[in-house]
Amino acid sequence: MQDIDDEMKKPLLKHLVEITAHREHSRLAVSVISALYQLTNVQAIRMLEIFTMRDEHYVQEKMVIRDGAVHTIDDHTSEDLKEPLASFPAMMACIRNHLNEYLETADDGSHVLWLPVWLHGKMNSCVEIRSDRPFEQQIMDVIHGIFHVYCNYQSLLDYSERDALTGLFNRKTFDEQFTRYAFAIAPAESHALDKDDRRHDGEVIDEPKGHWLAVVDIDHFKQVNDRYGHLYGDEVLILMANILRASFRSHDRIFRFGGEEFVILLRATTLTDARKIFDRFRQNVQEYDFPQVGKVTVSLGFVGISRETPVVILGHADQALYHAKKSGRNRICFYEELVDSGVLTSGITTNDTVEFF
């Protein structure tokens, strides 16, 4: 970036200071595309996110800036806005060849620069910069400099949010993100279930979608550590994290709270589907052959997310989990159902047998 004009250095430094002041991914992305737009005078810039659903890859626009205004696409967006990854040949070329950039001329004559964002060896998003004239070298230097700062800083943020052993989000991240994900999220896409699963007595059930929090505990995990050692116990945790990732969408959130306990935020799903999804995960674990250890099971308690505090919501899910373990393990229990049936009393209890996070 040695060829950058003195006039550009001051605003460039100002933007770099602003970029590195953020501790949250979406705000970081907004500051980056704003800096790129203001410093390069291009037509438009988009941030596109890649996510997986039903083993298929899709792309959804997360934010765009044009005519000087930034528009963010939040989680209230309809799933209709997602497009198959195959509809973006430039992004496909970046993935196939592991490219750090791709430059092309669009059918309308505009010049488009694609900048993939790589994380853990996978492309999780991409910046699209569109200009009505070819990119000059000085402009490319500015773009590369800001974009590399963004990628490096995003990696640092991601590292601080993850559990070192499993790579899942950690408890600290849950505490920071719960309110945003629990109350701001809305239907994005439903899980893949057979049509028969959505029917009752020949009629389609029109059930409202909600958001759910589940607490998962590996049954008899202490015995695994005592019998096989902590190395095999760690391997069980790593493989459990892989099963969790495979059982839920990339838009859901999975956390390791420490030890053998995990928390799941399941988004925009009916109660009927949530029950099936959680039980499908339980079956996936039950059917998996863990090296040396053999068969492992999990117990799960879940609750509908309301505008209660995280402590209350976690406490309710933990009560349901405790009941699942007390009732024989390897099962799922729904808190509201247990309350309605009189098995549990509503509200946080001080029962010493219930362990709260």
Side-chain angles (χ1 to χ4, degrees):
M1 299 174 65
Q2 65 274 13
D3 296 329
I4 296 176
D5 292 341
D6 290 337
E7 294 181 7
M8 188 177 290
K9 287 180 181 178
K10 188 173 181 179
L12 176 59
L13 290 173
K14 180 181 177 181
H15 282 294
L16 291 177
V17 169
E18 180 183 347
I19 289 170
T20 54
H22 294 295
R23 297 293 183 270
E24 197 273 314
H25 288 282
S26 62
R27 292 179 181 176
L28 172 62
V30 169
S31 68
V32 167
I33 68 169
S34 297
L36 289 172
Y37 185 83
Q38 293 174 25
L39 293 172
T40 60
N41 196 30
V42 294
Q43 283 179 295
I45 303 178
R46 291 199 299 169
M47 177 72 74
L48 303 168
E49 182 183 56
I50 300 173
F51 64 93
T52 304
M53 185 175 68
R54 299 190 286 273
D55 296 325
E56 297 291 334
H57 298 296
Y58 293 92
V59 175
Q60 183 163 320
E61 183 180 282
K62 296 302 291 182
M63 58 191 68
V64 60
I65 181 168
R66 61 169 62 93
D67 299 327
V70 178
H71 305 278
T72 58
I73 313 298
D74 58 26
D75 295 307
H76 296 273
T77 304
S78 167
E79 65 170 335
D80 295 336
L81 293 181
K82 72 179 187 301
E83 298 180 61
L85 178 58
S87 301
F88 297 82
M91 294 174 64
M92 292 288 290
C94 290
I95 293 174
R96 282 195 305 268
N97 303 301
H98 206 88
L99 301 176
N100 291 320
E101 69 175 59
Y102 188 91
L103 187 60
E104 66 175 352
T105 302
D107 294 337
D108 61 1
S110 61
H111 301 268
V112 185
L113 176 64
W114 300 85
L115 297 171
V117 179
W118 298 95
L119 201 59
H120 308 300
K122 295 182 179 180
M123 190 168 109
N124 70 341
S125 58
C126 190
V127 175
E128 177 203 50
I129 304 177
R130 190 173 293 266
S131 174
D132 57 359
R133 56 183 181 272
F135 293 94
E136 299 177 358
Q137 185 58 51
Q138 179 173 320
I139 295 301
M140 290 293 285
D141 289 340
V142 172
I143 291 173
H144 288 151
I146 292 177
F147 184 72
H148 291 158
V149 168
Y150 166 62
C151 291
N152 291 341
Y153 193 65
Q154 188 190 50
S155 295
L156 289 174
L157 285 182
D158 184 78
Y159 180 79
S160 69
E161 294 174 346
R162 302 282 177 174
D163 170 61
L165 178 66
T166 63
L168 299 176
F169 289 119
N170 56 28
R171 171 63 193 266
K172 173 178 174 288
T173 306
F174 175 86
D175 292 337
E176 294 173 348
Q177 296 186 359
F178 179 81
T179 300
R180 181 161 54 88
Y181 283 119
F183 303 148
I185 55 181
E189 73 277 339
S190 61
H191 283 263
L193 295 173
D194 296 334
K195 291 181 179 179
D196 292 340
D197 292 332
R198 299 185 183 277
R199 296 178 180 275
H200 179 70
D201 296 333
E203 295 184 2
V204 177
I205 302 174
D206 186 16
E207 196 177 348
K209 291 182 179 181
H211 314 304
W212 315 91
L213 182 144
V215 180
V216 179
D217 190 271
I218 301 177
D219 296 327
H220 302 298
F221 185 70
K222 184 178 183 300
Q223 295 180 15
V224 173
N225 279 330
D226 292 345
R227 182 175 180 182
Y228 300 101
H230 287 278
L231 286 178
Y232 280 104
D234 286 350
E235 184 175 29
V236 169
L237 292 171
I238 293 169
L239 293 172
M240 187 65 66
N242 292 339
I243 297 172
L244 280 161
R245 291 189 190 93
S247 301
F248 297 93
R249 304 163 298 183
S250 58
H251 279 41
D252 299 320
R253 290 293 181 267
I254 308 168
F255 306 82
R256 183 189 176 202
F257 266 43
E260 68 275 24
E261 294 167 325
F262 303 87
V263 169
I264 303 161
L265 291 180
L266 183 67
R267 301 169 44 176
T269 305
T270 65
L271 172 59
T272 301
D273 287 0
R275 196 189 303 271
K276 287 185 170 73
I277 292 156
F278 288 135
D279 196 58
R280 187 165 58 192
F281 158 67
R282 181 195 62 79
Q283 293 177 39
N284 290 342
V285 175
Q286 178 183 276
E287 295 167 0
Y288 191 88
D289 288 317
F290 291 82
Q292 184 69 25
V293 175
K295 294 297 183 181
V296 172
T297 61
V298 294
S299 298
L300 183 150
F302 75 102
V303 64
I305 294 178
S306 61
R307 292 191 177 274
E308 298 282 0
T309 65
V311 171
V312 171
I313 295 172
L314 278 168
H316 290 166
D318 199 52
Q319 284 181 273
L321 168 65
Y322 174 77
H323 183 79
K325 297 182 79 69
K326 186 177 68 173
S327 303
R329 294 181 168 82
N330 191 25
R331 63 189 62 208
I332 67 169
C333 287
F334 177 41
Y335 172 78
E336 281 87 349
E337 187 174 67
L338 295 176
V339 171
D340 291 343
S341 63
V343 174
L344 295 179
T345 56
S346 180
I348 290 290
T349 177
T350 57
N351 187 334
D352 291 337
T353 59
V354 180
E355 177 183 347
F356 296 110
F357 296 108

